[in-house]
């Protein structure tokens, strides 16, 4: 018998570690507190890139030394989405609260695949909140996933179970009678819907892309027409995917009209609400999402408008039993008990393809509790107000033109000129390299647009002013 423990990977000198930990935390807090004073983004110097071509580290290094490498070679060259001048793609800004919660989650190192422990209860608490937010019933199930891409994929699989029965899991699509199944979404839908069709074995040829109206919303009349044509041709419509906040322009489909059609045609009604769904937290925006409560499933991200650090996607399913029947499987090593650590079934692993899962629920729980949903909703509404401010400035400036209506938080515009596509692509690259602002680009009606998606709670008028002034200045130098 010995009371000595063998050496493990934890430090031998906890007081030294404590000092180091404080410095690491302080450095990160300093970085975030002064974020606006730095460039949004900067190109990675060759020397820094080279730094990450090193050989496998056989020998140990001091924590302080490795942290110094982080400060010098990683921190300055991030994607920039914590910066108020970041307006590219649809990236959340994150918060210090979320960061601290993520650190605690790592300390706890819980595996959220299942079993009976408090972190699982926290994830169940989030499900309760999510049900309340979207008016879903008590039987609804939910699951944290990486992001909306995965959530949409899960929704397609659950819809497939609904139409073919759990038999499809064993028999496969054809033997289970899946030939001829077709699904519908709009041309403005995110590409991951197509990918979900491909990965589910249904094939993206079975996805009908319905035209949108002038506002970028799926046209219900055209949808009805496409369904009728498919039925006439012997196809079997089974799934309708609406979008609450399209990635290009932020358009919200007429969800109530789509819910009516789905009900009449007996289609599974899924909504991709990646960023837009959380607009339910802002009273002035919530009415635009009317009908969301009638969906069969809903995919969204806490890591976009919810400001929870990456990653934190979510899938919500009205009929929890069909959701479970899509994934749950009996495995001896996952045996459920009524007592002890192996109790508490069903487990999260019964509702998706992941077994080991991190504690995404904790940073979400902290974010919702610390800020409260009123304040989160107000931050969401403010990003839309910033978009309207940018829209007004663009309309007032003759050298600029607006390329799409601003429905939410996304503004698509461009500088006028000959060869405007090339000019505006160059302006955006100039903006990135200058570190002044980071919008992205998209194509609207064949025209390359500068696309400012305002998601970060830190973005304010001076950031919009800087984007506009730099856009005009870069255009002027390019035309000289
Ligand atoms: C961001 C986004 C997605 C993809 O979500 P991820 O979290 O990046 O996987 C899907 N649909 C829409 C409308 C989006 O904005």
């Amino acid at each position: 018998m010995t009371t000595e423990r063998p050496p493990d990977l934890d430090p031998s000198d906890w007081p030294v570690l404590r000092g180091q930990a404080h410095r690491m935390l302080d450095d990160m807090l300093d970085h975030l507190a002064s974020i606006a004073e730095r460039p949004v983004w900067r190109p990675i110097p060759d020397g820094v890139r080279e730094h990450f071509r090193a050989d496998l580290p056989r020998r140990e290094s001091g924590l302080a030394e490795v942290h110094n490498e982080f400060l010098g070679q990683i921190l300055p060259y991030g994607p920039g989405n914590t910066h108020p001048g970041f307006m590219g793609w649809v990236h959340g800004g994150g918060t210090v609260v979320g960061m601290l919660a993520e650190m605690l989650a790592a300390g706890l190192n819980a595996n959220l695949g299942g079993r009976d422990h408090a972190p699982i209860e926290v994830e169940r608490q989030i499900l309760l909140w999510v049900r309340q937010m979207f008016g879903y019933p008590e039987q609804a199930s939910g699951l944290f996933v990486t992001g909306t891409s995965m959530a949409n994929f899960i929704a397609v699989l659950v819809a497939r179970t609904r139409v073919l029965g759990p038999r499809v899991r064993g028999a496969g699509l054809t033997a289970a009678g899946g030939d001829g199944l077709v699904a519908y979404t709009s041309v403005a839908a995110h590409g991951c819907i197509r990918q979900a069709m491909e990965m589910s074995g249904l094939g993206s040829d079975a996805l009908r892309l319905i035209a949108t109206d002038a506002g970028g919303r799926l046209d219900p009349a055209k949808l009805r027409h496409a369904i009728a044509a498919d039925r006439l041709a012997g196809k079997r419509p089974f799934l309708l995917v609406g979008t609450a906040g399209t990635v290009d322009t932020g358009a919200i489909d007429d969800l109530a009209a789509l819910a009516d059609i789905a009900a009449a045609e007996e289609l599974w009604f899924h909504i991709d609400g990646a960023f837009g769904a959380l607009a339910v937290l802002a009273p002035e925006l919530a009415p635009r999402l009317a009908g969301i409560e009638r969906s069969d499933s809903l995919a969204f991200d806490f890591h976009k408008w919810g400001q929870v650090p990456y990653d934190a996607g979510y899938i919500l399913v009205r009929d929890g039993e069909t959701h479970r029947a899509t994934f749950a499987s009996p495995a001896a090593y996952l045996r459920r008990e009524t007592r002890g650590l192996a109790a508490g079934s069903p487990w999260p692993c019964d509702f998706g393809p992941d077994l080991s899962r991190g504690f995404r629920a904790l940073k979400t729980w902290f974010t919702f509790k610390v800020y409260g949903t009123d304040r989160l909703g107000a931050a969401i509404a403010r990003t839309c107000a910033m978009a309207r401010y940018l829209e007004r400035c663009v309309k007032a400036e003759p050298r600029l033109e607006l390329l799409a209506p601003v429905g939410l938080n996304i503004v698509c515009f461009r500088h006028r000129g000959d060869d405007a596509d090339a000019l505006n692509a160059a302006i955006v690259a100039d903006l990135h390299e200058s570190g002044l602002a980071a919008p992205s680009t998209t194509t609207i009606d064949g025209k390359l647009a500068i696309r400012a998606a305002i998601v970060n709670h830190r973005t304010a008028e001076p950031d919009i002013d800087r984007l506009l002034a730099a856009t005009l200045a870069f255009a002027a130098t390019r035309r000289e």
Side-chain angles (χ1 to χ4, degrees):
M1 278 294 282
T2 167
T3 52
E4 276 288 295
R5 292 183 160 277
D8 60 26
L9 291 176
D10 284 327
S12 48
D13 192 339
W14 285 87
V16 169
L17 175 73
R18 214 175 279 276
Q20 184 58 39
H22 285 152
R23 275 194 298 281
M24 290 171 76
L25 200 50
D26 277 345
D27 282 341
M28 199 66 206
L29 292 173
D30 287 347
H31 171 85
L32 289 170
S34 58
I35 188 80
E37 297 158 22
R38 274 186 298 281
V40 181
W41 177 85
R42 59 185 111 185
I44 306 173
D46 290 343
V48 170
R49 251 185 240 285
E50 201 47 44
H51 188 82
F52 297 104
R53 306 285 184 268
D55 287 335
L56 185 70
R58 299 283 308 271
R59 299 223 168 67
E60 55 190 284
S61 307
L63 176 59
E65 192 186 321
V66 178
H67 181 237
N68 272 334
E69 275 182 62
F70 169 80
L71 292 177
Q73 329 270 348
I74 300 175
L75 189 59
Y77 308 107
N81 52 309
T82 49
H83 193 288
F86 187 94
M87 302 166 196
W89 302 273
V90 178
H91 281 27
T95 66
V96 171
V97 166
M99 176 191 94
L100 294 172
E102 190 74 318
M103 188 185 69
L104 301 183
L108 188 54
N109 193 28
N111 182 341
L112 277 274
R115 293 159 285 271
D116 199 20
H117 49 95
I120 297 278
E121 294 302 330
V122 176
E123 185 153 346
R124 289 183 180 136
Q125 167 75 86
I126 304 288
L127 172 58
L128 229 122
W129 292 346
V130 168
R131 278 190 203 133
Q132 275 181 23
M133 278 160 53
F134 297 109
Y136 263 52
E138 208 176 306
Q139 324 78 269
S141 51
L143 189 75
F144 272 99
V145 290
T146 40
T148 292
S149 303
M150 178 57 91
N152 283 332
F153 178 39
I154 288 176
V156 169
L157 293 175
V158 178
R160 194 186 67 161
T161 302
R162 160 61 61 78
V163 65
L164 298 178
R167 195 174 105 77
V168 67
R169 295 176 60 182
L173 263 184
T174 303
D179 289 340
L181 291 177
V182 287
Y184 305 83
T185 193
S186 93
V187 289
H190 194 275
C192 65
I193 308 289
R194 154 183 285 269
Q195 198 178 39
M197 290 293 285
E198 291 167 357
M199 293 191 296
S200 64
L202 291 153
S204 46
D205 289 355
L207 181 65
R208 309 287 189 245
L209 299 180
I210 308 299
T212 50
D213 62 18
R217 311 184 312 164
L218 191 154
D219 184 329
K222 294 211 166 84
L223 170 65
R224 278 199 206 87
H225 190 80
I227 295 172
D230 275 327
R231 289 207 194 279
L232 209 61
K235 299 287 188 190
R236 296 164 60 206
F238 83 107
L239 167 67
L240 169 60
V241 180
T243 304
T246 61
V247 66
D248 273 337
T249 67
I252 300 172
D253 286 343
D254 184 341
L255 302 177
L258 298 192
D260 286 343
I261 295 174
E265 301 281 352
E266 295 184 8
L267 309 180
W268 182 278
F269 180 33
H270 172 68
I271 295 176
D272 175 351
F275 69 93
L278 285 182
V280 294
L281 298 181
E284 59 269 62
L285 298 172
R288 315 254 312 266
L289 293 162
I292 202 167
E293 73 290 348
R294 294 171 60 196
S295 56
D296 291 300
S297 52
L298 170 68
F300 67 97
D301 286 322
F302 287 107
H303 59 222
K304 289 177 174 171
W305 252 348
Q307 312 295 340
V308 172
Y310 283 87
D311 49 33
Y314 203 85
I315 178 67
L316 177 67
V317 179
R318 173 176 306 276
D319 173 4
E321 191 38 46
T322 303
H323 186 185
R324 205 186 63 83
T326 304
F327 294 101
S329 58
Y333 47 84
L334 295 177
R335 203 181 124 92
R336 316 303 161 91
E337 307 290 354
T338 51
R339 302 170 45 213
L341 185 49
S345 183
W347 294 341
C349 67
D350 299 325
F351 296 91
D354 294 317
L355 178 52
S356 292
R357 305 168 63 251
F359 196 1
R360 298 183 180 105
L362 189 67
K363 57 193 172 185
T364 309
W365 185 79
F366 261 92
T367 300
F368 272 53
K369 299 231 352 151
V370 170
Y371 297 110
T373 55
D374 287 353
R375 211 170 143 203
L376 290 172
I380 287 168
R382 209 169 71 93
T383 63
C384 294
M386 287 303 104
R388 286 194 301 275
Y389 172 67
L390 172 55
E391 178 190 29
R392 280 198 302 279
C393 295
V394 167
K395 282 181 168 166
E397 171 51 65
R399 286 170 287 178
L400 302 176
E401 65 176 320
L402 197 69
L403 292 186
V406 178
L408 224 47
N409 62 327
I410 299 178
V411 185
C412 291
F413 68 102
R414 72 171 177 177
H415 199 285
R416 295 179 200 272
D418 307 331
D419 202 3
D421 284 2
L423 172 66
N424 285 280
I427 290 172
V428 168
D430 288 343
L431 288 168
H432 291 177
E433 286 171 2
S434 70
L436 291 168
S440 52
T441 62
T442 191
T443 308
I444 304 282
D445 298 332
K447 297 174 177 176
L448 186 126
I450 301 176
R451 173 175 166 283
I454 301 162
V455 185
N456 192 334
H457 56 101
R458 304 179 182 101
T459 302
E461 266 111 347
D463 305 298
I464 307 286
D465 294 342
R466 195 173 313 114
L467 165 73
L468 287 166
T471 298
L472 295 173
F474 282 125
T477 48
R478 294 230 153 239
R479 296 160 113 219
E480 265 163 16

